[in-house]
Amino acid sequence: MQYHVNGTLRDRDEATVSVDDRGFRYGDAAFETCRAYGGEVFAWDRHVKRLHRTCETLGMADAVPDDLAVRVAETLDANDFEDAYVRVSVSRGVQPGKLTPEEDVDPTVVVYVKPLPRGGVDGERVWDDPAVVQSVQTRRIPDSAVPSDAKTHNYLNGILARLELRRASNEEYRPDEALLRDTNGYVAEGATSNLFFVDDGVLKTPETGSILPGITREVVIELAESEDFPVRTGRYTPDDIRNADEAFLTNSTWELRPIATLDGIEIGGGPLTTLLQRLYDERVERRCYANSR
Amino acid sequence: MQYHVNGTLRDRDEATVSVDDRGFRYGDAAFETCRAYGGEVFAWDRHVKRLHRTCETLGMADAVPDDLAVRVAETLDANDFEDAYVRVSVSRGVQPGKLTPEEDVDPTVVVYVKPLPRGGVDGERVWDDPAVVQSVQTRRIPDSAVPSDAKTHNYLNGILARLELRRASNEEYRPDEALLRDTNGYVAEGATSNLFFVDDGVLKTPETGSILPGITREVVIELAESEDFPVRTGRYTPDDIRNADEAFLTNSTWELRPIATLDGIEIGGGPLTTLLQRLYDERVERRCYANSR
């Protein structure tokens, strides 16, 4: 497997960064996780826009290289991948050993790929089963401490949430996503996913402010609105979700994944979830496979 | 300059980690910053204890290698450093590309050093002047999101605070430390330092719970108590600090650094700050230079 590191394709084993890279020392980096379908990255423009925004939040507005799309395409080509997971990381690079960043940035840019067979209309999902979701004690980092719309290498908040699942697991119960609440106790998001639920025909999802506004979340909201389904964003409690008619998680690799249970209480997908999955698959088909077929 | 990476001394230019190292991908790592004086690391046992605690919080209790002190000594020797900055990082290493950590950990262990002439009784301080401190909007990440006593590579909270200083700076005003409040508005700590102030003969410092309990902070409290000065920990507002008789910051490299101004209001050191600096210097002398002289 080959990655792209600072403009050069490298065998994965030789893809390294300096231990002085601020991405390693401080998690001082931005990233995006995308999916390529048929060699085309879905919603690429949106991902690049968010990557730019994160870099701007981190005070390195110009760190995203102009030829990023070319690097991604080269990496997919070099590995002969059509359907793939794609991660792009932009760190502040090596700077003198002080916490305060220098204005002059020589970023470290890494493109990671791995094969990921597509779901889609006729394909198979990444996940085997609907998600088993468990609320955790770890609270979502508030927007006032780290802007919630920045997607950064500081991912311990989500890792600590997932570690709680390890402790909660036993032979009969193996949750695979942790649901974090914000510091006020409202539902925020999963460790790597956004949450939706259906309540009396209305599609609901936590409002921005204490969540990462996911690209898949954005697309799902648009798809629902395009079919004239009412969509509401707001503040919800775990009980709101537990009492929902349907519920699902979204992220770029899972796409839409129904929630089997939350805290052991059955919810499951349903007609709206299935319809939105279908609409999402069709959009992927239309946007990504149009050229390759 | 040579670093120690996974048991081997490496030229700094060749000291690298995989881009798949979780330390790079997620800041999923613990660290300590220490100082060596006369070849001896000050308060080493306390630093190792905290490193173990951080690793335990991160669900990798056994990640700290038993021979860590030997690796540090080898690195100091290889560089012929007596008085030095020492940083030790322990990351969760390379694991399959999922956020949820595997229980089996093959950690990445890095020892960084650089020369750092000592302050001390007859020496010079690291810093040239007392600190110019500025309160920032960025709030300290609450304990409920990431345990505050864990010292990890997720350092964006402090970096974002320091970036605010960049925006606040002009030719006349160049703050060099950012003061973060907790989400309730109480004073927490600097981006890389703890804060003390003197109020009517009492030494005060924010209580644990939304601060990193610094090793230097711990030593300073012990030194004050050993001289029968009253010490109080509690919740304080920025106004409490601005009205203080003396104020100073602590960390392992700065040791004790008086605060010249907070938000432009003069505070400065004073007799108790100077006495505690002297007591700290004497302890360093006694603990670290005893063998070498």
Side-chain angles (χ1 to χ4, degrees), chain A residues 18-207:
Chain A
S18 166
V19 297
D20 279 325
D21 194 284
R22 291 178 62 102
F24 181 69
R25 286 182 77 120
Y26 307 121
D28 189 6
F31 81 103
E32 286 294 320
T33 300
C34 325
R35 276 187 79 161
Y37 301 90
E40 197 92 13
V41 177
F42 182 67
W44 174 249
D45 290 349
R46 299 180 196 231
H47 283 287
V48 171
K49 192 174 160 195
R50 187 170 63 181
L51 187 62
H52 272 285
R53 196 179 59 214
T54 301
C55 286
E56 206 172 300
T57 299
L58 300 186
M60 50 176 191
D62 301 325
V64 181
D66 293 336
D67 67 343
L68 190 58
V70 176
R71 298 188 195 198
V72 170
E74 281 177 7
T75 317
L76 290 170
D77 279 354
N79 289 283
D80 210 11
F81 290 161
E82 295 258 298
D83 296 330
Y85 158 101
V86 177
R87 174 176 159 137
V88 178
S89 286
V90 178
S91 95
R92 205 185 306 266
V94 176
Q95 292 193 345
K98 281 181 189 162
L99 187 69
T100 304
E102 311 233 306
E103 299 218 26
D104 209 19
V105 175
D106 182 12
T108 297
V109 180
V110 183
V111 181
Y112 302 81
V113 292
K114 66 181 176 193
L116 190 60
R118 81 183 185 93
V121 181
D122 309 307
E124 298 211 345
R125 303 278 169 200
V126 171
W127 36 270
D128 295 323
D129 295 298
V132 175
V133 182
Q134 176 66 46
S135 310
V136 293
Q137 291 302 315
T138 299
R139 298 303 173 103
R140 175 65 163 88
I141 291 175
D143 194 54
S144 59
V146 179
S148 56
D149 62 357
K151 193 167 172 79
T152 77
H153 283 216
N154 271 217
Y155 227 94
L156 277 178
N157 190 219
I159 291 170
L160 290 164
R162 288 281 179 87
L163 282 168
E164 285 193 54
L165 301 186
R166 184 196 284 181
R167 290 191 287 277
S169 293
N170 58 45
E171 273 182 34
E172 273 108 59
Y173 187 63
R174 296 220 177 278
D176 37 28
E177 180 57 308
L179 182 63
L180 291 91
R181 286 162 289 165
D182 64 23
T183 49
N184 297 312
Y186 295 107
V187 168
E189 62 190 352
T192 65
S193 56
N194 289 122
L195 178 134
F196 285 85
F197 63 103
V198 180
D199 177 25
D200 210 11
V202 179
L203 183 66
K204 297 182 175 177
T205 189
E207 64 193 15

Side-chain angles (χ1 to χ4, degrees), chain B:
Chain B
M1 200 132 67
Q2 293 200 298
Y3 290 167
H4 215 287
V5 183
N6 285 332
T8 310
L9 286 162
R10 296 246 177 243
D11 279 339
R12 187 181 163 178
D13 292 343
E14 287 158 21
T16 59
V17 293
S18 167
V19 296
D20 279 325
D21 194 285
R22 291 179 61 103
F24 181 70
R25 285 182 78 119
Y26 307 120
D28 189 7
F31 82 103
E32 287 292 320
T33 301
C34 326
R35 275 188 79 162
Y37 302 91
E40 197 92 13
V41 177
F42 182 67
W44 173 251
D45 291 349
R46 299 181 197 229
H47 283 286
V48 171
K49 193 175 159 192
R50 188 171 63 181
L51 187 62
H52 272 286
R53 195 180 60 213
T54 301
C55 286
E56 206 171 300
T57 298
L58 300 186
M60 48 176 192
D62 300 325
V64 181
D66 293 336
D67 67 343
L68 188 59
V70 176
R71 299 187 195 198
V72 170
E74 281 176 7
T75 317
L76 290 169
D77 279 355
N79 289 282
D80 210 12
F81 291 161
E82 296 259 295
D83 295 330
Y85 158 100
V86 177
R87 174 175 160 140
V88 179
S89 286
V90 178
S91 95
R92 206 185 306 266
V94 176
Q95 292 193 346
K98 282 182 190 163
L99 187 70
T100 305
E102 310 235 303
E103 299 218 26
D104 209 18
V105 175
D106 182 12
T108 298
V109 180
V110 182
V111 181
Y112 303 79
V113 291
K114 66 182 174 193
L116 189 61
R118 82 183 185 93
V121 180
D122 309 307
E124 297 208 349
R125 303 280 169 199
V126 172
W127 36 271
D128 295 324
D129 295 297
V132 174
V133 182
Q134 177 66 47
S135 311
V136 292
Q137 291 302 316
T138 299
R139 298 304 172 102
R140 175 63 163 88
I141 291 175
D143 195 53
S144 58
V146 179
S148 57
D149 62 356
K151 193 170 172 77
T152 77
H153 283 215
N154 271 218
Y155 226 93
L156 277 179
N157 191 218
I159 290 170
L160 291 164
R162 287 282 180 87
L163 283 169
E164 286 193 53
L165 300 187
R166 184 194 283 180
R167 290 191 287 276
S169 291
N170 57 45
E171 272 181 34
E172 274 107 60
Y173 187 63
R174 296 221 177 277
D176 36 30
E177 180 58 307
L179 182 62
L180 291 92
R181 286 162 288 166
D182 64 24
T183 48
N184 297 312
Y186 294 107
V187 168
E189 62 191 352
T192 64
S193 57
N194 290 121
L195 177 134
F196 285 85
F197 63 104
V198 180
D199 176 24
D200 210 12
V202 179
L203 183 66
K204 296 182 175 177
T205 190
E207 64 193 16
T208 54
S210 58
I211 62 163
L212 180 83
I215 305 295
T216 311
R217 174 182 178 275
E218 193 176 289
V219 170
V220 165
I221 290 172
E222 288 172 16
L223 291 171
E225 286 174 342
S226 73
E227 297 283 319
D228 293 328
F229 285 107
V231 181
R232 300 273 178 280
T233 62
R235 295 172 145 203
Y236 306 107
T237 65
D239 267 347
D240 292 329
I241 321 298
R242 294 185 197 113
N243 295 324
D245 303 316
E246 308 177 25
F248 60 91
L249 302 172
T250 59
N251 70 28
S252 291
T253 52
W254 285 347
E255 302 166 333
L256 288 78
R257 183 177 183 183
I259 294 177
T261 61
L262 170 60
D263 301 336
I265 295 160
E266 280 185 40
I267 309 174
L272 186 51
T273 305
T274 305
L275 175 65
L276 288 166
Q277 286 179 310
R278 173 59 61 108
L279 292 169
Y280 190 88
D281 290 343
E282 285 173 4
R283 180 178 286 208
V284 167
E285 287 281 318
R286 221 165 42 241
R287 296 285 166 93
C288 294
Y289 292 102
N291 301 328
S292 63
R293 290 179 178 188

